[in-house]
Amino acid sequence: MSKKLRLKALVRQKSEVKAQGNELMLYGAIGSYWDEIDGKKTVEQISQMKGDITVRVNSPGGDVFDGIAIMNALKAHDGKITVVVEALAASIASVIAIGAADELVISEGAYLMIHNPWTIAIGDAAEFEHTAGVLRQIAGTIADIYARKSGKSKEDMQALMDAETWMDAAASLEIGFADKADGEEQSVASAFDLSVFKNVPETLRIAAKGTKPTTIRDFEKILRNAGFSRSEARAVASNGFGALNQREADEEIDSAKLLAALETAKKTFKQE
């Protein structure tokens, strides 16, 4: 495997929160339990940033309270918050994106997903009834956050949450969650295990871990999700990975020709 392919594989597998300058990347599950995006550390990073912030999101969700803490830290920040959903903002990640954004941009091929919070409980009937009450209270708070952004009613938002609603760029704009769509082709990396959700769009099912492509077009989508350009994905899907080796060889030949031409030109100038 070439260095280029290994690098792309590593990038696709890496889940992390990274702050660089005024850009915050939320890639992976939210919450210290998953050892990916820790709420406390992320809030500390936000507190050290100055001016406008761009937040880039690709997350299947995670811990509600870590997510709420991140959202509130972004809301309290003195500067414009632009959230770019680069691939997936599901569950509590959608709350961060929708609740914190002064401007929410959704990339082509990306999705927002909203649903009711859930948890695991142990105990007697009273304990389960208490847990159910807490979940309903959290759901109501989240519905209020969605309603403020969309301009629609809390009841409308709760109905969408009850149905576990997945929204592409067009639907996110229509409902009022997104302020604009980025028409540039993006790498929609959904290498998360989405089996816990019930209404996952087929596009994301194809890209999810453990799913095998059944057509060349499915294979192209997986390659695009892994970071290949559209032309690279088509070439590999049609002709195998050898197509990339040939392309790299052609590029090296072209570079050699260019260097030779420059050297000839240099000699010509010296003679004159």
Side-chain angles (χ1 to χ4, degrees):
M1 183 182 286
S2 70
K3 290 182 180 179
K4 183 178 182 181
L5 293 179
R6 283 198 296 270
L7 178 60
K8 288 182 176 179
L10 287 171
V11 169
R12 185 169 68 90
Q13 294 169 12
K14 184 67 174 175
S15 297
E16 64 181 352
V17 55
K18 181 172 66 177
Q20 184 174 4
N22 276 31
E23 191 166 280
L24 183 70
M25 291 184 67
L26 301 179
Y27 268 48
I30 295 164
S32 56
Y33 176 83
W34 287 276
D35 195 28
E36 291 183 1
I37 301 174
D38 181 272
K40 181 175 183 293
K41 292 179 181 177
T42 305
V43 168
E44 289 173 352
Q45 288 175 315
I46 293 168
S47 70
Q48 295 169 9
M49 302 174 82
K50 305 294 183 183
D52 298 343
I53 298 176
T54 297
V55 184
R56 300 188 180 279
V57 182
N58 181 23
S59 172
D63 184 270
V64 168
F65 296 109
D66 270 21
I68 293 294
I70 293 169
M71 180 197 73
N72 284 327
L74 288 168
K75 287 178 64 177
H77 181 75
D78 185 16
K80 179 182 177 181
I81 304 298
T82 301
V83 176
V84 181
V85 179
E86 297 200 319
L88 177 64
S91 192
I92 195 62
S94 72
V95 178
I96 296 173
I98 293 168
D102 294 311
E103 180 179 44
L104 194 155
V105 181
I106 184 164
S107 299
E108 181 180 350
Y111 282 86
L112 286 168
M113 187 278 276
I114 68 175
H115 71 156
N116 285 318
W118 42 266
T119 189
I120 297 173
I122 299 175
D124 58 16
E127 183 64 32
F128 276 88
E129 288 168 359
H130 171 73
T131 300
V134 171
L135 287 174
R136 280 191 287 268
Q137 186 174 8
I138 294 171
T141 299
I142 291 172
D144 281 332
I145 293 170
Y146 292 148
R148 280 196 294 273
K149 177 65 175 178
S150 68
K152 295 179 171 53
S153 70
K154 179 179 179 179
E155 291 71 25
D156 287 341
M157 297 299 100
Q158 186 62 66
L160 293 175
M161 292 164 63
D162 291 343
E164 187 192 294
T165 303
W166 294 73
M167 291 157 282
D168 60 11
S172 300
L173 286 167
E174 182 178 358
I175 202 167
F177 287 152
D179 298 295
K180 70 178 184 179
D182 184 353
E184 294 183 7
E185 191 72 20
Q186 297 288 329
S187 171
V188 184
S190 182
F192 305 117
D193 182 359
L194 304 178
S195 61
V196 295
F197 304 126
K198 60 184 179 181
N199 297 327
V200 181
E202 186 61 23
T203 302
L204 295 185
R205 287 190 190 279
I206 290 169
K209 285 180 177 177
T211 303
K212 295 181 179 179
T214 57
T215 67
I216 289 179
R217 183 165 179 78
D218 290 346
F219 188 32
E220 284 184 24
K221 289 179 180 178
I222 291 174
L223 293 169
R224 292 285 295 122
N225 294 339
F228 290 90
S229 69
R230 184 193 295 270
S231 60
E232 287 175 334
R234 287 178 176 173
V236 171
S238 300
N239 303 303
F241 286 97
L244 288 184
N245 294 332
Q246 181 59 47
R247 175 173 297 186
E248 290 175 356
D250 291 342
E251 289 173 352
E252 289 177 3
I253 291 171
D254 290 343
S255 298
K257 288 180 178 178
L258 177 59
L259 289 172
L262 290 172
E263 189 63 29
T264 300
K266 190 195 307 181
K267 290 178 181 178
T268 301
F269 288 135
K270 282 183 178 179
Q271 290 174 357
E272 293 177 352

